Amino acid sequence: MAPNINKPVPGAKEFYPLNEPSIGTTLSPETFPRNKNLPPLFTPLTIRGVTFPNRVFVSPMCQYSSDNGHATDWHLVHIGVHSRRYALTRHVAWSGGQGFASRGAGGIVMEATAVVPEGRISPEDAGLWTDSQIAPLRRVVDFVHSQTAKVGVQLAHAGRKASTLAPWVKSSADRTHRANTSTAFANEGGWPNNGTPSHIRDPCDGFFMGLWLFLGRTSSQSPKAMTEADMQRVIDAFAAATERALVAGFDFIQIHGAHGYLIHAFLSPISNTRSDDYGGQSFENRIRFPLRVVEAVREAWGDRPLFVRLSATDWVEGPEKDSEGRWLQWGVEQTILFTGELKKLGVDLIDVSSGGNWSAQKVVVGPGYQVPFAEAVKKAHPDIPVGAVGLITTPKQANDVLVEGKADIVSLARGILRDPHFVLRAADELGVAVRPAVQYERAWQTVLARL
């Protein structure tokens, strides 16, 4: 073979230049001496044989853009070749049309993907409840893999927060429209809400919005408490969706156990007032159904990376339990106990978020405001990787979380939407030489410059 060949990605359906080593991977310290002592943000992480090239992950972010649960070209664009965004750094505007798959993120988590139709947050949410939803996702996954990136899917059931309007349908950014409810009714593609541990309406009336701000409920939907047969159908649906995720080619799965959705609703004594073996004051009862879901997913997923996202607190004022030891809300103490149970089932990483289960929650928002929850879990369970989230917006801030041992990865959402180049910009600012996509090398000469 001629020596000067633009090598293709092996097995790709069309020609893509081969990126070798992988995008976002640090380059040889023999060639780039500054890489001899890497900051933690750029050290690889290997879980069950899957190596993530760095510790910056893209959080799952609902796009409200699926066609009856099926991924569309929007998802290919969003995950693979992101629309133009701008971020000002050092008085220079980084811009471009590149996406997460070609921007070097350590791992990408696709949005909350419902295991049953009634488990969607909105009528336009993603799903994996039927085989026809595999191929559109496989197309996205194949492209991500052609760019050497790792991608997972967040399997979810929205519970009592299902059947809501997309955020811009609820309230437009230009303030020209505001609905009087968050609920999507039948003539808007919605459905009756029947996925909840107890006969308690969703106090948040809808989707879990940025900064954990919630809108008031004026709808008439009333959820129906799940029977044991209902729970078993959902458990079976999680297992079936896991098998479809395997066919779609995902590298890892994240189970959504946060933000007031079904699993979190079972965990919290605020939303779970059942009197049977699946609820009430008993911590063991409230975790029973969530553990059965995790066990079913682990069995179907085999020896592959499995993550769980948790809300570490309901943000209700007052203590987690009273002076007599009765649990009053979900909090850090129970999150730590539950993490111990998840480890026994073979969960590989705990992604720690918070809130979403109580309309009167009092959240003090600021840079890294949720990191202390991840730190508490990490301190209690140093033997399992932990993810931190919550207004992590700068490379130094992200790296400091890891330097200080508060977490093992950081997950970005809105910050990386604004700046899909975050990983390469972080490498530039932290003095690390990493591999950009070969097509974009000329835009990142400072990242590749020899010292």
Side-chain angles (χ1 to χ4, degrees):
M1 179 181 289
N4 301 313
I5 295 293
N6 190 356
K7 296 179 182 179
V9 174
K13 68 174 184 177
E14 53 196 16
F15 177 79
Y16 306 121
L18 178 65
N19 280 282
E20 197 174 38
S22 300
I23 303 168
T25 300
T26 56
L27 299 173
S28 169
E30 295 182 3
T31 307
F32 299 90
R34 55 178 160 160
N35 282 359
K36 289 181 179 179
N37 296 298
L38 292 172
L41 199 64
F42 284 96
T43 58
L45 174 67
T46 299
I47 298 176
R48 292 186 186 260
V50 176
T51 297
F52 304 94
N54 57 65
R55 308 299 181 98
V56 180
F57 277 54
V58 179
S59 284
M61 291 175 276
C62 289
Q63 297 298 294
Y64 310 97
S65 301
S66 295
D67 183 0
N68 192 26
H70 295 73
T72 67
D73 280 358
W74 173 263
H75 297 91
L76 180 64
V77 170
H78 170 63
I79 298 297
V81 282
H82 200 274
S83 57
R84 187 171 298 272
R85 303 282 177 179
Y86 296 90
L88 293 178
T89 305
R90 298 180 183 175
H91 310 293
V92 177
W94 304 111
S95 65
Q98 306 83 25
F100 303 136
S102 59
R103 292 289 85 191
I108 304 164
V109 189
M110 290 194 67
E111 65 189 85
T113 301
V115 300
V116 290
E118 66 273 19
R120 289 170 291 172
I121 301 169
S122 83
E124 299 80 30
D125 268 22
L128 256 178
W129 65 77
T130 184
D131 288 352
S132 63
Q133 292 162 341
I134 297 172
L137 286 172
R138 181 81 205 198
R139 182 181 181 216
V140 176
V141 171
D142 285 348
F143 179 79
V144 172
H145 286 164
S146 77
Q147 303 305 302
T148 68
K150 299 293 188 292
V151 61
V153 62
Q154 184 187 66
L155 296 184
H157 189 302
R160 62 182 180 160
K161 297 178 74 172
S163 191
T164 65
L165 300 171
W168 54 87
V169 178
K170 166 61 184 173
S171 180
S172 63
D174 62 6
R175 302 180 184 178
T176 61
H177 167 75
R178 183 181 177 88
N180 64 359
T181 178
S182 293
T183 301
F185 293 100
N187 62 346
E188 298 159 329
W191 55 91
N193 192 333
N194 59 2
T196 179
S198 305
H199 188 75
I200 302 173
R201 287 184 176 182
D202 169 20
C204 304
D205 186 26
F207 52 86
F208 186 62
M209 297 183 69
L211 298 182
W212 324 124
L213 298 178
F214 294 92
L215 305 171
R217 184 176 186 89
T218 59
S219 80
S220 59
Q221 290 213 63
S222 183
K224 172 189 172 186
M226 297 173 70
T227 66
E228 287 198 51
D230 293 332
M231 285 184 268
Q232 187 60 54
R233 280 193 292 271
V234 170
I235 292 166
D236 293 342
F238 266 96
T242 299
E243 293 171 356
R244 295 185 183 102
L246 182 61
V247 177
F250 286 103
D251 299 297
F252 61 99
I253 282 175
Q254 182 186 94
I255 297 173
H256 199 345
H259 302 166
Y261 299 124
L262 184 62
I263 290 176
H264 182 188
F266 264 91
L267 292 173
S268 174
I270 287 177
S271 45
N272 185 348
T273 60
R274 299 175 72 100
S275 58
D276 62 3
D277 290 342
Y278 292 91
Q281 260 299 303
S282 168
F283 170 77
E284 289 73 18
N285 284 0
R286 284 184 281 112
I287 68 173
R288 194 180 309 277
F289 169 71
L291 289 179
R292 288 185 63 195
V293 170
V294 174
E295 186 175 26
V297 172
R298 168 45 79 200
E299 182 176 357
W301 191 232
D303 189 26
R304 299 172 182 84
L306 176 61
F307 305 168
V308 175
R309 169 167 273 195
L310 298 175
S311 278
T313 177
D314 286 329
W315 285 105
V316 177
E317 291 187 89
E320 186 174 346
K321 61 182 176 182
D322 63 20
S323 59
E324 297 181 7
R326 292 175 297 194
W327 299 108
L328 304 177
Q329 61 167 305
W330 184 258
V332 173
E333 184 176 347
Q334 290 166 95
T335 300
I336 289 171
L337 292 172
F338 187 50
T339 296
E341 297 302 314
L342 293 175
K343 288 195 305 184
K344 295 176 185 177
L345 295 180
V347 170
D348 301 300
L349 184 144
I350 305 297
D351 194 45
V352 184
S353 187
S354 70
N357 199 42
W358 183 246
S359 61
Q361 61 185 9
K362 304 293 185 182
V363 184
V364 180
V365 176
Y369 71 104
Q370 298 187 91
V371 172
F373 302 128
E375 181 181 13
V377 174
K378 185 63 185 176
K379 183 177 180 180
H381 296 284
D383 56 337
I384 186 171
V386 171
V389 303
L391 286 183
I392 299 171
T393 58
T394 70
K396 182 180 185 305
Q397 179 194 15
N399 191 61
D400 284 349
V401 169
L402 306 187
V403 168
E404 295 164 7
K406 297 176 179 178
D408 300 278
I409 68 168
V410 294
S411 294
L412 279 61
R414 282 161 294 162
I416 209 162
L417 277 180
R418 290 188 294 267
D419 180 11
H421 312 84
F422 183 91
V423 173
L424 294 179
R425 183 164 61 83
D428 187 25
E429 292 189 16
L430 297 175
V432 179
V434 303
R435 164 64 68 190
V438 292
Q439 299 96 319
Y440 302 144
E441 283 182 352
R442 59 188 178 275
W444 295 96
Q445 292 306 311
T446 55
V447 173
L448 293 171
R450 297 191 183 208
L451 295 181

